[in-house]
Amino acid sequence: MDKYFVASWLISSIFHTENNSKDFNLINVIAYADYSNHAVMTYDEFFDGLKHLISIGLVIQVEKELFTTELYKNWWNARFQNKKRIYALKEISDVEKFIRKIENTNNCRNFDFIAEIKQTDFEKAIQLYLNRFENK
């Protein structure tokens, strides 16, 4: 899958599940990603998207928690805050354009990226998310 689409899909999922009063919840990110794109993200997509977003300064990782930066929040609010209805795939498309623009104007950081959310954590969250449907 295209790296820009994956990064857009992931940051939209992180942004829409952020809640300052609660801890980061990976299951909610997975659920929003499924809602917005009707697909469950793979760990490779998650890992590569996260690495990309952190390198251009749109997401920060604090231990096992992920947050969008003020740069992203300010752009999103300017672009979408007064919209009555936002279509998920249209939003992802606009986010993709923003990511491409930021990548061209921002110095991407080269660093050794260590994902605090390991593949086993991700797979466990996927399984917990999918188990929600088995009980219905």
Side-chain angles (χ1 to χ4, degrees), residues 4-76:
Y4 294 101
F5 178 83
V6 170
S8 304
W9 183 28
L10 178 58
I11 198 169
S12 292
S13 300
I14 293 168
F15 177 77
H16 286 291
T17 59
E18 280 183 319
N19 185 342
N20 293 332
S21 64
K22 294 183 180 179
D23 291 334
F24 171 78
N25 187 323
L26 183 57
I27 297 171
N28 290 344
V29 172
I30 292 165
Y32 191 87
D34 185 20
Y35 158 77
S36 64
N37 191 37
H38 306 293
V40 176
M41 190 175 284
T42 67
Y43 182 75
D44 288 340
E45 291 169 331
F46 173 80
F47 181 85
D48 292 343
L50 183 58
K51 183 177 179 179
H52 187 190
L53 293 167
I54 289 173
S55 75
I56 59 175
L58 295 180
V59 169
I60 57 172
Q61 173 182 249
V62 180
E63 295 180 6
K64 290 189 176 189
E65 296 187 357
L66 303 173
F67 304 95
T68 54
T69 62
E70 290 303 312
L71 175 64
Y72 182 77
K73 289 175 186 166
N74 291 339
W75 172 83
W76 194 94

Side-chain angles (χ1 to χ4, degrees), residues 3-4 52-53 55-56 58 97-108:
K3 77 175 191 173
Y4 294 101
H52 187 190
L53 293 167
S55 75
I56 59 175
L58 295 180
K97 291 172 190 168
F98 176 66
I99 288 172
R100 288 176 187 271
K101 179 181 174 186
I102 288 298
E103 189 174 78
N104 290 331
T105 59
N106 196 0
N107 291 329
C108 295

Side-chain angles (χ1 to χ4, degrees), residues 74-115:
N74 291 339
W75 172 83
W76 194 94
N77 286 331
R79 178 73 181 92
F80 294 109
Q81 189 172 34
N82 294 322
K83 303 280 183 184
K84 290 184 180 183
R85 181 175 287 175
I86 303 170
Y87 296 97
L89 290 177
K90 168 67 171 136
E91 177 185 351
I92 290 171
S93 175
D94 287 359
V95 171
E96 184 176 339
K97 291 172 190 168
F98 176 66
I99 288 172
R100 288 176 187 271
K101 179 181 174 186
I102 288 298
E103 189 174 78
N104 290 331
T105 59
N106 196 0
N107 291 329
C108 295
R109 298 174 279 172
N110 290 323
F111 58 95
D112 291 330
F113 174 73
I114 299 172

